[in-house]
């Protein structure tokens, strides 16, 4: 919900909705289901979802529309998932719940043109935060860190550490995910930043610009390295890169209010609620 007496910022919501429709198209094909669009990923990487169709002027999605998409997702063997912004498409929640899905709420936060980003926190040597080139030797390991982080969610220090990184990085390399991200970095559609200590990634995240808008996504800290300010430092580096390259609106979704508080320290403010719907038995897609 928005901090401004719960009144939606309609121009901002429209801008974010256009971004949500545009950003998957560089790595996915779409299937039309009337009031809903199904994004199907081409190649490796995180699977996509269904969303409200941009600019749909007809009747709102019904539970039957949702079931049609679910059947197609099952046929394709992809996660049964829907994502949307509550304030932009409020009527969709009733339809997905009537179709038997469980809805999860996540704070949406923004750093707009008028918002001032907080300074990056100072990190003790030898930790450094860098934006990685497509041929960076740390690329696969940096991509593996959020996978391990989301496997052990929360903000508390956990047991998973550097011993698990090599295996996770090797899996991402073997599936072609690292190569695919390297191509996106080279094309300018993905920017990856990592906090590195002696060449080992302890935290990483990315932003994916589309014109003047970008989303900070997948920021995750190795559970054993939490509570050191690394996520905040990586986020600050991504924001600085985005703004230095002409992006005026930076936004993100947080896993919960505890995580949202961390991003507010970076200058972000809450403006809406991201909703994710899935079957109750299906693991919720990880948010940062």
């Amino acid at each position: 919900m928005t901090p401004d007496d719960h009144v939606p910022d309609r121009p901002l919501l429209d801008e974010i909705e256009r971004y949500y429709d545009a950003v998957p198209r560089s790595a996915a094909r779409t299937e039309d289901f009337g009031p809903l669009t199904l994004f199907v990923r081409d190649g490796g990487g995180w699977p996509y979802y269904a969303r409200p169709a941009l600019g749909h002027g007809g009747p709102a999605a019904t539970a039957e529309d949702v079931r049609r998409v679910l059947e197609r997702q099952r046929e394709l063997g992809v996660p049964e998932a829907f994502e949307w912004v509550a304030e932009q498409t409020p009527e969709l929640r009733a339809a997905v719940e009537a179709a038997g899905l469980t809805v999860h709420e996540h704070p949406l936060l923004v750093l707009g043109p008028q918002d001032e980003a907080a300074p990056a926190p100072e990190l003790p040597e030898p930790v450094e935060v860098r934006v990685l080139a497509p041929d960076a030797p740390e690329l696969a390991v940096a991509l593996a860190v959020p996978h391990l982080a989301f496997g052990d969610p929360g903000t508390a220090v956990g047991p998973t550490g550097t011993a698990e990184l090599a295996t996770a990085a090797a899996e991402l390399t073997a599936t072609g995910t690292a190569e695919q991200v390297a191509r996106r970095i080279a094309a300018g559609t993905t920017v990856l930043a990592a906090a590195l200590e002696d060449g080992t990634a302890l935290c990483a995240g990315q932003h994916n610009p589309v014109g003047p808008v970008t989303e900070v996504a997948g920021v995750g800290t190795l559970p054993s390295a939490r509570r050191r300010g690394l996520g905040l430092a990586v986020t600050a580096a991504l924001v600085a890169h985005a703004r230095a390259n002409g992006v005026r609106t930076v936004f993100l979704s947080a896993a919960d209010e505890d995580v949202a508080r961390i991003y507010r320290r970076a200058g972000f403010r809450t403006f809406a609620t991201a909703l994710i719907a899935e079957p109750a038995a299906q693991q919720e897609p990880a948010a940062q």
Side-chain angles (χ1 to χ4, degrees), residues 30-237:
T30 63
E31 296 189 9
D32 178 21
F33 287 83
L36 300 168
T37 298
L38 174 60
F39 294 93
V40 183
R41 176 173 284 281
D42 292 323
W46 294 108
Y48 283 118
Y49 35 73
R51 291 193 56 81
L54 184 68
H56 176 71
T62 64
E64 184 55 34
D65 293 320
V66 174
R67 292 188 188 101
R68 288 174 54 227
V69 175
L70 289 171
E71 289 174 4
R72 180 58 174 156
Q73 289 173 323
R74 295 186 198 112
E75 180 182 336
L76 293 168
V78 299
E80 299 167 31
F82 292 73
E83 296 190 10
W84 73 101
V85 178
E87 291 79 359
Q88 183 75 4
T89 317
E91 67 278 1
L92 183 55
R93 182 165 191 158
V96 299
E97 289 180 335
L101 300 180
T102 299
V103 177
H104 307 273
E105 299 184 359
H106 303 282
L108 265 179
L109 299 96
V110 68
L111 193 65
Q114 75 281 13
D115 299 318
E116 184 175 351
E122 292 188 11
L123 299 176
E125 295 184 358
V127 179
E128 60 170 342
V129 177
R130 292 206 320 263
V131 172
L132 300 183
D135 59 351
E138 307 92 349
L139 182 66
V141 174
L143 292 172
V145 169
H147 283 258
L148 296 175
F150 299 150
D152 184 4
T155 60
V157 176
T160 305
T162 55
E164 290 80 9
L165 269 178
T167 300
E171 290 176 357
L172 293 176
T173 300
T175 60
T177 300
E179 181 181 357
Q180 184 180 48
V181 173
R183 289 197 299 267
R184 290 180 60 83
I185 293 172
T189 54
T190 289
V191 177
L192 179 68
L196 304 163
E197 185 174 46
D198 297 326
T200 298
L202 301 179
C203 178
Q206 57 188 258
H207 79 85
N208 302 285
V210 176
V213 182
T214 195
E215 180 183 21
V216 172
V219 177
T221 301
L222 200 62
S224 63
R226 287 171 178 159
R227 302 292 179 90
R228 295 171 58 181
L230 302 179
L232 202 57
V234 167
T235 300

Side-chain angles (χ1 to χ4, degrees), residues 111-120 235-236 239-240 243 250 264-268:
L111 193 65
Q114 75 281 13
D115 299 318
E116 184 175 351
T235 300
V239 169
R243 287 195 154 175
V250 185
R264 291 192 190 98
R265 290 164 51 196
F268 287 83

